[in-house]
Amino acid sequence: MYVLLTVMALVWMFPLVWAVYNSFRDYDYVLLNGYLSVGGYTFSNYIDSWQIGGIPHYFFNSLIITVPSVLLILFFGSMAAFILARFSWKFNIFMLAVFIAGNLLPQQTLLTPLFRLYNAIPVPYWMSSSGSLYDSYWGLIIVHVAFQTGFCVFVLSNYMKTVPHELLEAATVDGASLFRQYWQVVMPLCRPALAALATLMVTWIYNDFFWLSP
C-alpha cells in the first residue's frame, strides 16, 4: 500500500512539476528540441510576464477585493453564527435556512438586476470613477460578502455548537457581556474553523471572474 500510494503521488505531481520545470526554459528552444529535452534555461518568461503582463497591477487589485471581503465575511458570519448557536429560539432553523438559501440562489439570475441597481446607486467619485457602485471595488466586495456569508454562518454555527455551554455560563457569572463572550471566549476556540473558512474564501474570491466588471 505504501509503494502504491507513493507511485500514485508521484504520477499525480508529475504534470505540475514538469510544467514548473518548463516555465524556466526558453520557448523557442522547447519548440525546436521538444518538451522532453534538457536545456534552454532562462528567467525571461517570469520577467516578461511580470513586466508586460501587468501582474503587479492585477495582483494588487485582487488583494484590494479579497482581503476586505474575507475579513467582513468572517466578522459578520461569526457574529450571526454566535447568535444562532448561543440562543435557542423558535426562529433559529428559519434564520439558518435563510442564510443557506442565499448560497443556493444561482448568481447568474442576479447579474442583470444587480447591474441596473449598481448603476442606479450614486456614490462619491473618490469611491468610484463611474460615480456609481458599478465598476468599483466596493461593488465587488459587497457582492462577495453577500454571497459567501451564508456558507460561513452555516459552518461556524455548527462548529460553535460544539463549544461547551458551561464556558459561556461561567463567563456570564463572571460578568462578561454578550459581545465579550463572543470575542474572548468563543472566537479563540473557533480558530481552526476560521482558518479553514479563510482559506476557502480567499481561494473562491481571488479566483472569481464572474463579477469582474469589463
Side-chain angles (χ1 to χ4, degrees), residues 77-97:
S78 61
M79 287 196 299
F82 174 74
I83 295 300
L84 293 176
R86 175 70 172 82
F87 299 101
S88 297
W89 54 310
K90 57 183 178 180
F91 293 108
N92 267 17
I93 302 298
F94 174 75
M95 291 300 299
L96 187 59

Side-chain angles (χ1 to χ4, degrees), residues 11-212:
V11 172
W12 188 271
M13 293 176 59
F14 176 77
L16 176 62
V17 175
W18 194 253
V20 174
Y21 167 75
N22 280 286
S23 69
F24 289 100
R25 303 173 65 197
D26 182 70
Y27 183 69
D28 294 331
Y29 181 90
V30 174
L31 287 180
L32 181 63
N33 298 278
Y35 286 100
L36 298 179
S37 61
V38 177
Y41 304 112
T42 178
F43 286 99
S44 61
N45 296 329
Y46 287 93
I47 296 175
D48 292 341
S49 63
W50 184 266
Q51 296 176 348
I52 301 175
I55 289 180
H57 172 72
Y58 297 117
F59 179 72
F60 184 67
N61 280 345
S62 298
L63 288 182
I64 293 177
I65 297 169
T66 302
V67 174
S69 299
V70 172
L71 293 178
L72 289 174
I73 290 169
L74 295 180
F75 181 64
F76 292 139
S78 61
M79 287 196 299
F82 174 74
I83 295 300
L84 293 176
R86 175 70 172 82
F87 299 101
S88 297
W89 54 310
K90 57 183 178 180
F91 293 108
N92 267 17
I93 302 298
F94 174 75
M95 291 300 299
L96 187 59
V98 169
F99 282 112
I100 297 175
N103 281 14
L104 300 178
L105 184 66
Q107 299 183 12
Q108 291 81 356
T109 61
L110 297 179
L111 187 60
T112 301
L114 274 180
F115 174 75
R116 296 179 178 177
L117 179 64
Y118 275 19
N119 279 292
I121 298 178
V123 296
Y125 281 97
W126 63 268
M127 294 179 61
S128 172
S129 59
S130 64
S132 64
L133 280 178
Y134 176 73
D135 198 19
S136 68
Y137 295 121
W138 305 91
L140 287 173
I141 292 173
I142 291 172
V143 165
H144 289 304
V145 171
F147 273 99
Q148 303 300 340
T149 300
F151 178 76
C152 183
V153 172
F154 173 73
V155 174
L156 286 179
S157 62
N158 286 283
Y159 191 88
M160 289 180 181
K161 289 178 182 179
T162 63
V163 177
H165 193 69
E166 290 76 13
L167 290 177
L168 300 177
E169 291 179 346
T172 303
V173 172
D174 290 339
S177 62
L178 191 63
F179 181 80
R180 193 171 182 181
Q181 295 177 30
Y182 154 77
W183 189 254
Q184 294 186 344
V185 178
V186 176
M187 287 297 284
L189 297 176
C190 292
R191 288 174 182 172
L194 292 172
L197 283 172
T199 303
L200 290 174
M201 296 300 166
V202 168
T203 303
W204 293 343
I205 297 174
Y206 186 86
N207 292 329
D208 173 72
F209 290 101
F210 180 76
W211 292 109
L212 289 179

